[in-house]
């Protein structure tokens, strides 16, 4: 069965600084990978996804993620964070390409310092 | 701007009562998922439907939970009887499955508190 690990429960970053959120997955075949963001009291919004092809994926709000098969990782990055980026970030993997349900990590809570 | 809608947004009930949560998927989507979010377990898949047929409900406690899709525009998740450990945020998501790939769009969730 697939699994996702997000090693960092909380991360604090200064506004304007760069950001990297870590995600490691466990899955025997080619994974389908996703990053979602959840603002307080809100649902989950898709930031980006990787199905195949270019391993560097661009998403919304200036985010990108890089798939590294050798490290079983799919880390999320942003060159310069804004106060509005404060939220909970979830990495997810799908065995069936997303058509059969997602397995989520426990999430990383991002705090932005002024 | 097409969105998944869920009602109610908040529900407080007493142990033993029946709870019904509703979801309206995005028009044209053929797959509906139910997830539960708790502090301890995080986000867990409970069940999902494709073209209104249940495909997997292995994540759902069978004795008290039931999920249905009476029609293409409505999915329901029912708990009977409810227990305090059911307190959580329940999310519905919908998608348009094309072969193996799908992108899931989430609703705002129903926050359930069972006293």
């Amino acid at each position: 069965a697939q699994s996702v690990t997000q090693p960092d429960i909380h991360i604090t970053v200064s506004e304007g600084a760069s950001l990297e959120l870590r995600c490691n997955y466990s899955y025997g075949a080619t994974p389908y990978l996703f990053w979602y963001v959840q603002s307080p009291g809100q649902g989950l919004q898709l930031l980006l996804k990787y199905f195949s092809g270019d391993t560097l994926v661009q998403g919304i709000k200036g985010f990108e993620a890089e798939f590294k098969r050798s490290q079983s990782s799919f880390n999320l990055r942003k060159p310069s964070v804004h106060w509005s980026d404060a939220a909970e970030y979830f990495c997810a993997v799908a065995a069936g390409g997303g058509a059969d349900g997602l397995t989520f990590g426990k999430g990383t809570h991002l705090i932005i310092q002024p | 701007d097409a969105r998944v809608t869920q009602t109610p947004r908040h529900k407080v009930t007493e142990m033993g009562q029946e709870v019904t949560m509703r979801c309206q998927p995005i028009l044209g989507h053929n797959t509906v998922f139910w997830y539960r979010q708790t502090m301890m377990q995080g986000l867990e898949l409970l069940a999902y439907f494709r073209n209104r047929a249940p495909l997997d409900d292995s994540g759902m406690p069978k004795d008290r939970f039931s999920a249905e899709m009476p029609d293409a525009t409505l999915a329901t998740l029912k708990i009977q009887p409810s227990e305090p450990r059911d307190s959580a945020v329940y999310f519905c998501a919908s998608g348009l499955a094309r072969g193996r790939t799908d992108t899931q769009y989430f609703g705002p969730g129903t926050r359930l508190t069972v006293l």
Side-chain angles (χ1 to χ4, degrees):
Chain A
Q2 63 269 24
S3 66
V4 175
T5 301
Q6 293 180 247
D8 303 305
I9 298 175
H10 301 277
I11 279 189
T12 301
V13 178
S14 297
E15 191 170 14
S18 63
L19 170 71
E20 182 168 32
L21 302 183
R22 295 184 291 165
C23 171
N24 293 98
Y25 67 89
S26 173
Y27 181 61
T30 299
Y32 298 85
L33 296 159
F34 305 79
W35 275 100
Y36 282 85
V37 61
Q38 183 180 29
S39 298
Q42 302 298 313
L44 281 75
Q45 181 182 21
L46 179 68
L47 286 175
L48 48 78
K49 62 189 177 186
Y50 171 78
F51 284 174
S52 65
D54 193 346
T55 56
L56 185 62
V57 180
Q58 301 297 320
I60 63 171
K61 303 186 180 187
F63 286 93
E64 67 177 24
E66 186 170 12
F67 170 60
K68 293 185 177 180
R69 183 187 300 275
S70 61
Q71 298 178 20
S72 297
S73 69
F74 188 56
N75 294 348
L76 182 71
R77 301 193 294 246
K78 187 170 184 178
S80 177
V81 297
H82 186 262
W83 64 266
S84 60
D85 294 324
E88 193 82 16
Y89 290 80
F90 293 94
C91 180
V93 66
D100 297 323
L102 301 175
T103 298
F104 284 90
K106 290 295 176 74
T108 296
H109 183 61
L110 176 63
I111 300 166
I112 306 296
Q113 282 183 336
Chain B
D1 184 19
R3 298 186 182 189
V4 175
T5 58
Q6 291 185 247
T7 56
R9 293 292 310 276
H10 302 273
K11 176 72 175 179
V12 180
T13 191
E14 293 186 347
M15 182 174 62
Q17 296 298 304
E18 178 179 298
V19 175
T20 299
M21 292 168 272
R22 294 176 175 80
C23 167
Q24 183 173 9
I26 293 172
L27 190 65
H29 282 187
N30 64 353
T31 312
V32 174
F33 303 84
W34 283 104
Y35 292 87
R36 176 171 63 183
Q37 185 179 36
T38 61
M39 290 294 293
M40 293 300 295
Q41 301 298 325
L43 279 154
E44 305 171 285
L45 177 67
L46 295 177
Y48 69 101
F49 296 76
R50 181 151 303 128
N51 298 319
R52 295 178 57 200
L55 288 192
D56 187 358
D57 62 1
S58 59
M60 207 164 64
K62 301 291 192 305
D63 56 338
R64 300 182 299 107
F65 284 59
S66 61
E68 296 180 347
M69 276 202 77
D71 61 60
T73 64
L74 178 64
T76 62
L77 180 65
K78 187 177 296 185
I79 308 174
Q80 168 64 19
S82 58
E83 298 181 1
R85 58 178 169 157
D86 301 329
S87 297
V89 181
Y90 291 81
F91 288 105
C92 173
S94 73
L96 179 60
R98 297 185 180 90
R100 289 174 59 81
T101 61
D102 189 11
T103 297
Q104 299 181 25
Y105 297 88
F106 282 73
T110 294
R111 181 175 296 275
L112 174 65
T113 302
V114 183
L115 304 175

